[in-house]
Amino acid sequence: MPPAATNPSVVITDDDHFDSCLAKSNDLLLLIDVHQDWSGPCETLTPTFSRLMMDTEKADSRLLFLSAEIPKFAAKVQELASDDAKLGDMSEKGCLPLFLAVRFGKAVGMVEGANAPALVALVKEQIPNFVEEE
């Protein structure tokens, strides 16, 4: 039996950490798993995250998986949404997984639920192009 996949997500710990991660969105696609503190991050998609990291050329320099608890970061997550795509009251979100794709400090896509095909499609659509180093 192969070993279980490990979740490559980085847990955001505080506001400063959130801001430093967000600053990386100029160079990387951030995929943020936004969840309730009592439910934790979505473990169901761990194999999908791992597969994306293995199948994407230079994934470490193009993609970053993050995990953020709604009670701590609701306001910051809401700020990521575009003016025409507000996320609603974050405090009312239940246990359904919510993933935000972020580039240049703004959400560029969202997947609700543990929908691996939609998540993979979103990453492939929004990930920065790979540039060969000379």
Side-chain angles (χ1 to χ4, degrees):
M1 177 185 232
T6 58
N7 193 331
S9 295
V10 174
V11 176
I12 300 173
T13 55
D14 57 34
D15 286 345
D16 290 338
H17 189 208
F18 191 102
D19 293 341
S20 70
C21 288
L22 189 60
K24 296 176 183 178
S25 71
N26 291 333
D27 301 316
L28 307 168
L29 173 65
L30 307 182
L31 191 66
I32 307 174
D33 177 354
V34 182
H35 57 85
Q36 294 291 351
D37 55 352
W38 49 263
S39 69
C42 181
E43 295 297 327
T44 302
L45 292 177
T46 296
T48 302
F49 298 160
S50 296
R51 180 47 101 200
L52 280 165
M53 292 304 287
M54 288 187 299
D55 291 350
T56 303
E57 189 170 7
K58 298 285 186 183
D60 289 341
S61 64
R62 300 169 62 205
L63 179 61
L64 179 61
F65 294 105
L66 299 167
S67 171
E69 294 179 354
I70 290 173
K72 286 184 184 176
F73 303 109
K76 288 193 171 288
V77 168
Q78 189 66 54
E79 289 173 12
L80 298 175
S82 63
D83 291 336
D84 56 317
K86 290 294 180 192
L87 299 171
D89 186 351
M90 294 301 293
S91 65
E92 294 180 6
K93 298 290 182 194
C95 62
L96 187 68
L98 174 67
F99 298 92
L100 294 178
V102 177
R103 286 282 288 146
F104 304 104
K106 288 290 179 188
V108 293
M110 178 176 73
V111 172
E112 288 188 273
N115 186 338
L119 202 63
V120 169
L122 178 62
V123 168
K124 288 183 177 183
E125 176 184 309
Q126 296 295 337
I127 195 167
N129 293 329
F130 172 66
V131 179
E132 287 276 347
E133 294 179 17
E134 297 178 19

